[in-house]
Every structure is written in C-alpha cells, then in structure tokens.
Amino acid sequence: MPDHGRDLGADLFRLYTMAKTNLPDVAVEYADAAAFVSDTDVGLSAAFTRPAQFGGPQGPAYRSWTELRDTVHRFLSDTDENLDETAQALLLAADTYAGTDYAAKVEFERLKRESRVP
C-alpha cells in the first residue's frame, strides 16, 4: 500500500528544491543579463555622436536604441523579480501544506536534513 504522506513529503521537497535552488539560479541569470544590458550606457552617447550638420549630437538611432535597451532591461528585470516571488510562493505553499499533513511534514523535514539544498 502506498504511503501517501511519504510521497507527498517527497513532492513538497521537490517544491522546496525548486524554490531554494532552481528558481533562484535562473533568476540570477536574468539579473546578470539585465546588468549587462545596463552596462551599455557607458559611452553610449559617444557611440551615437554625429556632426552638427547632420542634426545634432545624437541622431534618431540613439533614441531608438535606448528605447530598445530599456524595454529589454525591463523584461529581464521583471522576469528576475517574478522568479524570486514565485520561489517565495512555493516555499510558503510547501511549508503551509507540511503544517497540515503530519506524515508529509516528517518526510519533508527528513529530506531537507539529508539534502544539500540551502
């Protein structure tokens, strides 16, 4: 006969691992990508400089580039934040469910102790 509490405890541990390791690892990649996009500001205006006879210090390509950069940065930053918030929600769900099912909690806590997940 299957031990549903034990099985659920293992499922809760998978949620815990996702929340403590997997999602934060992916979120870091998005945060790093957002930082790299932000780093394009350094020297950007100089890259788009044009002589006054062509219309001024920067042409229309400068504004288009900064709008694109800002949009990409916002998408990356939002995804980083959403992954972090999802991880927190998974932790809350696992802990809350473990609090209502004693057998699942016992298995969940055993797996957390035996794992290398922080």
Side-chain angles (χ1 to χ4, degrees):
M1 182 163 152
D3 184 350
H4 295 293
R6 187 175 176 94
D7 293 341
L8 182 57
D11 290 341
L12 292 175
F13 180 72
R14 283 193 280 279
L15 287 177
Y16 175 81
T17 302
M18 180 65 66
K20 294 295 277 185
T21 303
N22 302 88
L23 289 177
D25 287 351
V26 174
V28 165
E29 295 300 321
Y30 279 93
D32 288 349
F36 288 137
V37 169
S38 289
D39 287 347
T40 63
D41 281 343
V42 177
L44 183 65
S45 62
F48 286 93
T49 300
R50 66 184 187 170
Q53 65 264 29
F54 293 117
Q58 283 88 26
Y62 176 75
R63 192 177 87 241
S64 297
W65 168 253
T66 57
E67 288 173 2
L68 173 63
R69 181 208 57 217
D70 293 346
T71 298
V72 170
H73 183 269
R74 187 177 69 251
F75 288 152
L76 293 169
S77 295
D78 288 352
T79 301
D80 169 37
E81 184 177 327
N82 290 339
L83 288 167
D84 286 337
E85 290 175 1
T86 301
Q88 292 305 312
L90 288 177
L91 281 176
L92 179 61
D95 287 339
T96 300
Y97 199 94
T100 63
D101 186 324
Y102 182 75
K105 178 181 178 169
V106 169
E107 180 64 8
F108 179 43
E109 295 300 328
R110 183 189 70 77
L111 289 168
K112 283 182 6 183
R113 279 192 309 277
E114 293 177 3
S115 77
R116 295 185 185 152
V117 178

